[in-house]
Amino acid sequence: MHLHVMTYDEAMSTNESKEWDKMVIKEHNMFVKHNVWKAEPINKVPKEAKVLSSTWVMKPKANSDKRARLNTRGFEQVEGIKYNAHDLAAPVVFDMTIRIVLVLIIMANWATALLDVKGTFLNSMFRNGERLYMTIPQGFE
């Protein structure tokens, strides 16, 4: 098994395509469960709206699990039109922070556990009722 990240087309061309399809459905169901999006007919999308495309990131895990994650292609946005640079935030952990925590765990002889979060969503509201539009993802055309 290759542990490299694949595109939707690459994953669906493998002999494990049925498993990948299940992961795509699972990701879709998480979006529905957490009310992440609402389907809109294309004729309801304002003419001035920028409709972003999306991409699937398909990642096999070392323990034989598979992950399918849907991402908008935010690079298609234009600064000043659909976002302002000062509004950007990316809640990530720096490598050095992880290293420091691991050193503290070792030095204090603390017990550790692995946590794998299945679905995390940043559902912040846009200012002034703004909406983000995205095309229908591959596999749901």
Side-chain angles (χ1 to χ4, degrees), residues 90-109:
V92 296
V93 177
F94 292 102
D95 290 346
M96 185 56 72
T97 305
I98 293 171
R99 289 186 185 118
I100 290 170
V101 169
L102 290 174
V103 167
L104 289 172
I105 289 169
I106 292 168
M107 291 176 67
N109 200 27

Side-chain angles (χ1 to χ4, degrees), residues 55-122:
T55 185
W56 285 102
V57 176
M58 315 296 263
K59 185 176 181 183
K61 305 299 253 177
N63 64 357
S64 299
D65 285 348
K66 292 173 178 39
R67 287 267 171 86
R69 295 291 180 254
L70 182 65
N71 301 285
T72 58
R73 292 182 170 149
F75 62 83
E76 294 174 345
Q77 293 178 303
V78 178
E79 182 179 353
I81 296 175
K82 287 309 268 180
Y83 76 93
N84 294 312
H86 66 275
D87 290 337
L88 297 178
V92 296
V93 177
F94 292 102
D95 290 346
M96 185 56 72
T97 305
I98 293 171
R99 289 186 185 118
I100 290 170
V101 169
L102 290 174
V103 167
L104 289 172
I105 289 169
I106 292 168
M107 291 176 67
N109 200 27
W110 292 335
T112 59
L114 176 66
L115 175 65
D116 190 7
V117 178
K118 297 292 183 193
T120 60
F121 303 100
L122 302 175

Side-chain angles (χ1 to χ4, degrees), residues 47-58:
K47 289 185 182 1
E48 68 278 0
K50 171 67 176 161
V51 179
L52 301 176
S53 60
S54 61
T55 185
W56 285 102
V57 176
M58 315 296 263

Side-chain angles (χ1 to χ4, degrees), residues 27-41:
E27 177 78 348
H28 176 267
N29 290 343
M30 288 292 279
F31 282 141
V32 171
K33 177 181 176 183
H34 293 284
N35 200 29
V36 173
W37 67 29
K38 180 178 117 183
E40 291 276 354

